[in-house]
Amino acid sequence: AQLPGIVVDADPELSLFAFHLSWPGATPADEDAATKALVEKTTARGRVMLSGCTAHGRFLSRVCVLSFRTHQPHIDALVEDLAASIHEITTQ
């Protein structure tokens, strides 16, 4: 939630949370397209995999940590890759 533009739509429960990308003046369609791009760009980096879903008519990105073998360096990689992808999307 501390990354620029991230809006948490579903607070973490166990190991799952949902979020989307937003900025001032963005329409819901703009946010949906940017969030889809965020999922694609972050996953394409090859270190983590994000999933997406549609809920209440909005496209959301999801993080779900399923493995007991997930450790802090994996979470750090997620945050780094999300930050890099957000920067790419918002500076185009």
Side-chain angles (χ1 to χ4, degrees), residues 33-46 50 59 85 89:
T35 303
K36 285 179 185 177
L38 182 63
V39 169
E40 292 167 4
K41 287 179 179 293
T42 302
T43 300
R45 293 175 187 280
L50 295 179
F59 184 83
S85 296
I89 292 165

Side-chain angles (χ1 to χ4, degrees), residues 30-68:
D30 294 336
E31 293 174 346
D32 289 350
T35 303
K36 285 179 185 177
L38 182 63
V39 169
E40 292 167 4
K41 287 179 179 293
T42 302
T43 300
R45 293 175 187 280
R47 297 197 300 170
V48 298
M49 181 181 153
L50 295 179
S51 62
C53 68
T54 302
H56 304 287
R58 297 298 310 272
F59 184 83
L60 305 176
S61 177
R62 298 181 298 182
V63 170
C64 185
V65 179
L66 297 174
S67 176
F68 67 92

Side-chain angles (χ1 to χ4, degrees), residues 8-39:
V8 175
D9 295 284
D11 289 330
E13 284 203 26
L14 298 175
S15 63
L16 174 69
F17 65 97
F19 59 94
H20 72 274
L21 191 57
S22 184
W23 60 93
T27 67
D30 294 336
E31 293 174 346
D32 289 350
T35 303
K36 285 179 185 177
L38 182 63
V39 169

Side-chain angles (χ1 to χ4, degrees), residues 70-91:
T70 302
H71 298 289
Q72 190 63 49
H74 300 108
I75 302 303
D76 293 343
L78 167 66
V79 173
E80 289 167 9
D81 290 354
L82 276 172
S85 296
I86 290 167
H87 179 75
E88 288 177 15
I89 292 165
T90 59
T91 58

